[in-house]
Amino acid sequence: MTENDATARPVSTAAPSSHSGRWFLAGMGLFLALIGSLFVFLLGRSFLRAWDMRSWPETSCVILTSDVAEKRHDEFSPIEFRQEITYGYEWQGKAYTGDHLTLRDNPWSSKRDLVEQRAAAFPEGKVTTCRVDPAKPQRAVLKPDSLAPGYSIWFPGLFVVGGLVLTLRALRQP
C-alpha cells in the first residue's frame, strides 16, 4: 500500500441535496408563467377589442380620397407604401370623417402592388359601410379587427401552465 492510498478519502456516490437547484427551477417556472401571462393578457385584450368592434353599429360612408403614400426612413432603407384613405359618414345627425381602415391604422408594406390592390377596393366616390364606435363616434373603421388573437391564446397559455407545473414540482420535491 502506498502512502497516497492511505490518505485517500472514500468517494461518496450519493448526490448532495441541493436547494439552490430547486429554487432555480422554481424561479425559471415562475418566469415562464409570467411571460406567458403577459402574452395571454395582450392576446386576450386584442381579442376582446375585436369582439367588441363586431357590435359597433354600421353606417353608410363615402370614400372621399383614396391614394397610396410612400415613405423612406433613410437613404439606405427600402421604400414603404400604405393606403391613405379618407371617408365621410354621418352618426346621429352629425357629419364625421375617418381615415382608419382598421383600428390599428393602415398598415405599411414594401409591396406597392399589394397596397395599390387594397386601394383599388376603396375608390373615391364609393359608397360602403363603416363601423362607428358609439362611445367615440369620431372613431370609425372600414374593416373590424381580426378575432385571430383569441384563436392563438392557447399557445402562451401552455407557457403559463407549464411554468406553474415546473414551479410546483420544483418546490414539492423532497
Side-chain angles (χ1 to χ4, degrees):
M1 190 146 118
T2 65
E3 189 177 319
N4 287 340
D5 288 340
T7 58
R9 295 187 181 143
V11 177
S12 173
T13 57
S17 172
S18 172
H19 293 291
S20 61
R22 288 180 20 194
W23 285 109
F24 175 77
L25 285 176
M28 184 64 77
L30 283 176
F31 176 75
L32 287 174
L34 286 173
I35 293 296
S37 297
L38 172 69
F39 282 96
V40 166
F41 169 76
L42 293 173
L43 288 171
R45 186 179 65 172
S46 293
F47 174 77
L48 291 175
R49 182 176 52 226
W51 184 268
D52 184 46
M53 290 176 77
R54 299 292 193 269
S55 67
W56 289 3
E58 291 183 346
T59 187
S60 179
C61 61
V62 177
I63 307 299
L64 303 174
T65 62
S66 181
D67 201 7
V68 175
E70 58 183 63
K71 75 172 180 178
R72 183 181 291 222
H73 293 286
D74 59 40
E75 60 189 69
F76 302 109
S77 65
I79 298 175
E80 293 183 328
F81 307 94
R82 102 171 167 174
Q83 180 182 1
E84 292 285 332
I85 191 165
T86 307
Y87 50 90
Y89 60 97
E90 188 175 305
W91 178 250
Q92 296 180 342
K94 193 172 179 186
Y96 294 94
T97 59
D99 61 358
H100 282 60
L101 188 61
T102 67
L103 195 58
R104 297 173 188 239
D105 208 3
N106 306 344
W108 289 93
S109 173
S110 60
K111 299 174 184 167
R112 183 178 185 94
D113 296 342
L114 177 66
V115 175
E116 287 176 347
Q117 185 180 13
R118 287 181 191 154
F122 296 103
E124 290 182 18
K126 179 178 180 175
V127 177
T128 186
T129 59
C130 58
R131 293 183 184 258
V132 180
D133 183 353
K136 295 180 183 175
Q138 63 274 15
R139 184 166 67 172
V141 296
L142 291 173
K143 294 173 21 179
D145 286 347
S146 171
L147 296 174
Y151 308 137
S152 309
I153 205 166
W154 63 269
F155 185 69
L158 291 176
F159 285 86
V160 174
V161 171
L164 292 176
V165 167
L166 180 64
T167 301
L168 291 175
R169 290 194 66 182
L171 295 177
R172 294 182 86 197
Q173 285 182 350

